[in-house]
Amino acid sequence: MVSSLSEWFWNERLWFPEGLGWADLEDKDGRVYAKASDLWVVLPIALAFLVIRQIFERLVATPLAAVMGVKEKVRLTVSHNPTLESFYCNTTKNPSQSSIDSLCKQTGCSEKQVQRWFRRRRNQDRPSLLKKFKEASWRFTFYLLAFIAGLAALIDKPWLYDFKEMWQGFPILTLLPSQYWYYMIELGFYVSLIFSVASDVKRKDFKEQMVHHMATIFLISFSWCVNYIRAGTLIMLLHDSSDYLLESAKIFIYAGWSNTSNYVFFLFAAVFIFTRLYIFPFYIIYSTYIYPMTMYSPFFGYYFLNFLMMVLQCLHIFWAILILRMAVRFLSSDEKVEDERSDNEEMDESGEEEEGVEKKGAVQNGHAAHKNHRKTE
């Protein structure tokens, strides 16, 4: 069964144009080609990223947070209440009015006390500002270095300037060392994000992010196995070109540098829309959809590649809508830009008085000394 499934999956008629197959990608005459077996190296690279991330966050991101003035906030802990805790963990974190009334009868607490308990309990589960800062710093560092490395690897390649060159000689395209490491490092990073998802800050676009990560992993792996290396390097470079700007905007938000974060955000929005809604669909997808058909008859691998590309493009449109909503809201109200794409869900009720208390701030009678605090999360 497994053998038959593997034989069907790797059938060269699925992945290559007629007349071409795996035999054409065997190393010979000093020419090296991408192989599916190469992808095993991604696992140790992903584990190495997890270790490097811990070291980076401890030795680089934490001191940087102190320099930039990122301050932790004191969060009041809730009193132990088995009934409320059970309802919180097993039913919902946001009880309805009828549920609150029922809980008041069960616990003997007033409605205000129950509401306050749930607010504070939700706040206890929220990720700290320092945690979010360290996560954004790590991703910013990787995306920036990956973009620089990808640009260095492609700057002298003809397919960076003429997309038709992606398909010249396909699939018999020699693998370059720079392409090998660019692929393995990018793929290793995205696999590490899957491994760390349980401990990372969970954002409101969590499902879309997971779909994006999985689609990216499948797209990179698939393009590697069937030697779509040139198209793959362009797609990765295109994505890295804006991702580091978003992470840097988050860093400034967490540090309370509102004006700087706004300027960086608008720069990110411009680059994102230009690369994801113009370059990607009208040049990259166009080149993967149109040019191969001028040389070969349609085959399954061609359709599968373009399906994955369209999945990514749908996600680009989803995020672009959120980004434009933030930009319009800022321009119309002159308020500080919040990251609606990823961070607004980390904000709790604006009336929660405890959230304005800093470590050095005083807490009087269970309430924060300053209610009209400025949120930087």
Side-chain angles (χ1 to χ4, degrees):
M1 176 78 176
V2 175
S3 176
S4 299
L5 183 61
S6 177
E7 183 178 350
W8 171 84
F9 182 81
W10 294 109
N11 189 325
E12 56 190 26
R13 293 184 61 186
L14 291 175
W15 307 114
F16 295 102
E18 186 177 355
L20 298 169
W22 301 111
D24 296 298
L25 299 183
E26 293 181 357
D27 296 348
K28 55 187 176 182
D29 301 328
R31 297 167 65 92
V32 178
Y33 301 95
K35 304 175 187 62
S37 58
D38 295 334
L39 296 178
W40 286 109
V41 76
V42 168
L43 293 179
I45 290 177
L47 294 176
F49 268 125
L50 294 176
V51 174
I52 295 172
R53 174 178 176 175
Q54 295 301 315
I55 297 173
F56 174 88
E57 291 185 351
R58 182 184 296 257
L59 301 181
V60 179
T62 300
L64 179 62
V67 170
M68 296 186 69
V70 177
K71 298 177 181 179
E72 290 284 29
K73 299 179 185 298
V74 172
R75 292 176 179 175
L76 302 182
T77 58
V78 299
S79 58
H80 180 63
N81 190 311
T83 302
L84 298 181
E85 183 68 26
S86 176
F87 188 92
Y88 179 88
C89 295
N90 301 321
T91 306
T92 179
K93 298 179 180 180
N94 296 278
S96 63
Q97 183 60 48
S98 60
S99 297
I100 292 177
D101 294 338
S102 175
L103 290 170
C104 289
K105 295 178 182 179
Q106 296 177 47
T107 61
C109 299
S110 67
E111 178 179 325
K112 184 176 181 180
Q113 288 174 324
V114 172
Q115 291 174 338
R116 182 185 297 116
W117 190 95
F118 274 93
R119 285 199 302 269
R120 292 180 179 176
R121 184 64 180 86
R122 286 192 295 269
N123 286 333
Q124 285 183 203
D125 285 349
R126 290 171 59 199
S128 68
L129 196 63
L130 179 59
K131 177 178 175 63
K132 291 184 285 187
F133 180 90
K134 292 191 294 185
E135 182 179 314
S137 298
W138 165 247
R139 297 193 186 206
F140 163 77
T141 302
F142 174 81
Y143 289 136
L144 178 60
L145 293 178
F147 175 67
I148 294 173
L151 192 60
L154 293 174
I155 195 69
D156 61 341
K157 305 301 186 294
W159 58 89
L160 179 62
Y161 311 99
D162 183 0
F163 292 152
K164 291 182 180 179
E165 290 292 329
M166 286 192 292
W167 307 106
Q168 294 301 320
F170 173 82
I172 310 174
L173 303 174
T174 304
L175 176 65
L176 304 176
S178 59
Q179 294 172 326
Y180 174 86
W181 287 111
Y182 189 29
Y183 254 80
M184 294 302 108
I185 290 174
E186 285 273 357
L187 188 55
F189 178 76
Y190 279 103
V191 172
S192 74
L193 293 182
I194 300 297
F195 288 160
S196 64
V197 68
S199 60
D200 285 346
V201 175
K202 188 173 182 179
R203 308 181 188 281
K204 73 176 181 181
D205 63 347
F206 171 78
K207 294 180 180 179
E208 291 80 6
Q209 285 282 3
M210 289 302 298
V211 172
H212 175 270
H213 293 338
M214 295 304 299
T216 301
I217 290 172
F218 279 125
L219 181 58
I220 294 176
S221 301
F222 166 71
S223 65
W224 177 268
C225 291
V226 295
N227 219 19
Y228 288 153
I229 303 295
R230 294 179 178 179
T233 53
L234 287 176
I235 294 170
M236 292 188 295
L237 181 67
L238 194 73
H239 282 70
D240 290 336
S241 65
S242 62
D243 285 343
Y244 71 91
L245 291 172
L246 174 61
E247 299 302 330
S248 63
K250 292 180 185 179
I251 289 173
F252 292 123
I253 288 176
Y254 301 148
W257 298 16
S258 301
N259 290 335
T260 305
S261 69
N262 290 341
Y263 295 139
V264 175
F265 169 80
F266 280 112
L267 177 59
F268 155 73
V271 174
F272 183 96
I273 292 173
F274 179 72
T275 57
R276 309 287 182 95
L277 299 188
Y278 178 66
I279 298 295
F280 190 76
F282 294 109
Y283 288 90
I284 302 294
I285 293 182
Y286 180 86
S287 69
T288 61
Y289 185 77
I290 298 297
Y291 294 152
M293 293 301 95
T294 64
M295 299 180 286
Y296 308 106
S297 299
F299 56 101
F300 176 78
Y302 160 81
Y303 292 116
F304 188 64
L305 171 67
N306 283 284
F307 167 75
L308 292 177
M309 300 279 277
M310 291 307 300
V311 170
L312 286 179
Q313 184 57 30
C314 289
L315 291 169
H316 295 164
I317 294 173
F318 168 79
W319 283 317
I321 292 172
L322 296 183
I323 291 168
L324 289 174
R325 283 172 55 186
M326 285 186 283
V328 170
R329 188 176 63 203
F330 173 75
L331 292 175
S332 61
S333 62
D334 196 32
E335 64 183 22
K336 179 170 71 72
V337 170
E338 298 289 355
D339 183 8
E340 184 173 343
R341 186 182 105 159
S342 295
D343 286 318
N344 273 1
E345 82 290 350
E346 296 157 19
M347 307 289 289
D348 208 319
E349 296 88 352
S350 60
E352 179 56 29
E353 63 270 20
E354 295 97 276
E355 289 305 294
V357 186
E358 298 183 356
K359 285 185 177 179
K360 63 181 180 179
V363 178
Q364 302 172 349
N365 299 323
H367 297 277
H370 302 285
K371 292 184 179 180
N372 298 323
H373 62 280
R374 178 169 54 89
K375 294 184 178 180
T376 58
E377 296 187 73

